[in-house]
Every structure is written in C-alpha cells, then in structure tokens.
Amino acid sequence: MAATISDATISELISESSSTSFAPYLIEQDYAAYTQDEHEVWAELVSRRMPQLADHAAEEYLDGFSSLGLRSDRLPNLNEISQRLRSRTGWSTVPVSGFMPGPAFFAMLAGRQFPTTTWLRKRDSLEYTPEPDIFHDVFGHVPMHAHPVFADFLAHYGELCAGIESEAVLERVGRLFWYTVEFGLIRQKGRVKVYGSGLISSNGECTNVLEGRCEVRDFSVEAVLNAPVQVDQMHTALFAIESFEQIYEALQQVSNDIAAGRIA
C-alpha cells in the first residue's frame, strides 16, 4: 500500500539509493571507445525507422528528437543529451551497466534520471535484441522526456512505484507503464500515432499496429490495469490516448485507488 510521498522523502530515497542500490550499476559512457562500425550500425538503425516515424510518430516524439540534437549518423553522447534535457524538463540520461532492480529504477525515475544502457546491438540483430540497448533506450525513450507533461508523468510514476510494497499491486501498476511508456498510442489530427518506445524502436511492432493487425482501443485506467502484458508475441490490442494530460490524470487516479485500497 502506498501513501503520498513528499519531495523530502523522495530526495532522501534517491540519496540513499545513489550510495547503495545505484552504485553497482552506474558507469561512464566511454564515447571515444565506440567504433566506426558501431556508428554505422546506429545510422542503419535510424535510417530503417525514420521513414515510418516521420509520418506515424507522435508530434512530441519528433520534436524531442530534433530538439535534443540526436544525430542519424552517430551514436548519442549522453552528457550532451542530458544538458539539453535538463534545460527543458529537468531530466537527464544516466549510463548504467544493464538491468536494474525495481527499487533503484523507480527511485531514479522519481529523481528525473533515466537509466540508459551504453552498448549497441550487433549488425546481425538489427531487428530485435532481447534486452534494451542504447538504441532502444535513447532513440526509443529519451525524445519523449523532452515533453513537459510526459516528463512529469514519468517522474511521478517512479515516485508512486517507489512507495508500493505489494508485488501484486506493483505488477498491475506496471501495466500502466507497459501500455503507455513502452507501447503507447495517441490520436492526433484524426490519426493514430505511436509514442511508446517499443513501437518507436521496432519496425515489426509498429507495422503490426499500422497495418491493422492490432486492435486500437480507447485508453482507460480500468481497461489498462486489466490487460495482461504480452512479452513473447506481437500485441493484438493496444490503447490510444487523446492527449498526454490523460495519462498524467490516469496516474493520479491510480494513486488515489491504491491509497483507497481499490487496487490489490
């Protein structure tokens, strides 16, 4: 069960995690160590996705990609991205060695720090990699962190989850993350656009939606929290929001429902 967490409590949580939970995972991005072949793989990955995204990605994603100075020909420098992000939404990209446990991950989100892997998939795995790499993390996620409402939603999501002790509740609330941050859709100017990182970074998942093989349902908290997560197959149903304010308001509803015992 989670109560509202004060800013002071979150600051203490992040400070404590930084010296314990975070320490084993934080690394430096050795940008000079990337090879020319790795830069070329990044360029190929971007060139494979951008033609589709230019027409089908949410306006906010495309604006973020441009405003953060992401390049199509070279891997991103996380320090440079963080400098631009901080001035817009207070977020930063923090290099990590790989998978992070939930408590550390949520505390980082609450502190507007996005844990970002620095390795890049190999040329023989362009379409899919079983664990997130820098292409998924930066190309897929980070442009949305430049949008103020989405950035606030993500930080408050981390704050909420950092205070949840029940694994069952955490799993259900995780569905909100999955169907927004990872596989979110939005209706803009009468068309369905993609903004979730799993759709942005994957040609297969995105095409699955655009070619009508995935049902597009209206977003609601009840529907999302009752939708099991699919991790081993293409999605057959996803949810479209009308605005990013909708997911921010949905998170507040979820927080209220947890406090009232309506989510268990």
Side-chain angles (χ1 to χ4, degrees):
M1 202 64 64
T4 301
I5 303 175
S6 68
D7 290 341
T9 303
I10 280 296
S11 296
E12 293 170 3
L13 175 63
I14 293 167
S15 177
E16 178 182 351
S17 297
S18 296
S19 62
T20 56
S21 299
F22 292 177
Y25 308 100
L26 300 182
I27 62 173
E28 293 291 332
Q29 182 189 32
D30 186 358
Y31 192 78
Y34 288 121
T35 65
Q36 182 59 34
D37 184 64
E38 286 176 311
H39 287 297
E40 290 174 359
V41 168
W42 171 271
E44 185 169 349
L45 286 165
V46 174
S47 69
R48 286 159 60 100
R49 294 299 301 127
M50 266 310 183
Q52 187 179 62
L53 297 178
D55 192 40
H56 297 288
E59 298 168 1
E60 291 79 1
Y61 172 85
L62 296 173
D63 175 70
F65 188 95
S66 175
S67 66
L68 295 180
L70 290 175
R71 293 177 55 173
S72 60
D73 61 338
R74 296 190 68 77
L75 281 148
N77 184 306
L78 300 185
N79 285 331
E80 293 177 358
I81 292 173
S82 291
Q83 291 175 9
R84 294 185 175 95
L85 266 178
R86 288 191 193 101
S87 66
R88 288 179 63 111
T89 61
W91 274 82
S92 61
T93 56
V94 180
V96 298
S97 57
F99 174 79
M100 297 186 68
F105 177 73
F106 297 138
M108 288 190 76
L109 294 186
R112 295 179 182 257
Q113 300 171 307
F114 188 70
T116 306
T117 51
T118 60
W119 72 280
L120 181 67
R121 68 192 70 183
K122 301 298 183 183
R123 193 175 295 278
D124 59 1
S125 304
L126 291 180
E127 180 58 31
Y128 173 76
T129 178
E131 57 182 302
D133 66 345
I134 193 171
F135 181 72
H136 174 83
D137 285 348
V138 175
F139 185 87
H141 279 281
V142 171
M144 287 303 306
H145 301 168
H147 183 253
V149 177
F150 186 90
D152 286 349
F153 161 78
L154 191 58
H156 285 101
Y157 178 87
E159 178 182 343
L160 174 65
C161 290
I164 296 176
E165 298 177 0
S166 166
E167 289 296 326
V169 173
L170 197 58
E171 189 278 329
R172 290 198 69 201
V173 177
R175 299 177 186 186
L176 179 62
F177 187 96
W178 186 261
Y179 288 111
T180 58
V181 177
E182 291 289 350
F183 288 94
L185 304 170
I186 186 170
R187 291 187 175 93
Q188 292 182 328
K189 299 179 180 178
R191 299 174 62 197
V192 172
K193 300 293 187 78
V194 302
Y195 71 88
S197 62
L199 297 166
I200 291 289
S201 63
S202 170
N203 180 71
E205 285 281 8
C206 192
T207 301
N208 184 57
V209 173
L210 299 178
E211 292 187 352
R213 296 191 293 271
C214 176
E215 179 186 357
V216 178
R217 300 175 179 173
D218 291 341
F219 178 94
S220 75
V221 170
E222 181 179 8
V224 167
L225 295 192
N226 286 306
V229 167
Q230 301 173 252
V231 298
D232 57 354
Q233 58 184 302
M234 291 286 183
H235 288 82
T236 57
L238 291 172
F239 301 92
I241 59 175
E242 300 298 326
S243 71
F244 288 107
E245 285 77 9
Q246 188 176 4
I247 59 173
Y248 187 89
E249 293 165 0
L251 185 62
Q252 185 59 55
Q253 179 181 333
V254 168
S255 179
N256 293 339
D257 286 347
I258 292 173
R262 291 189 290 267
I263 296 178

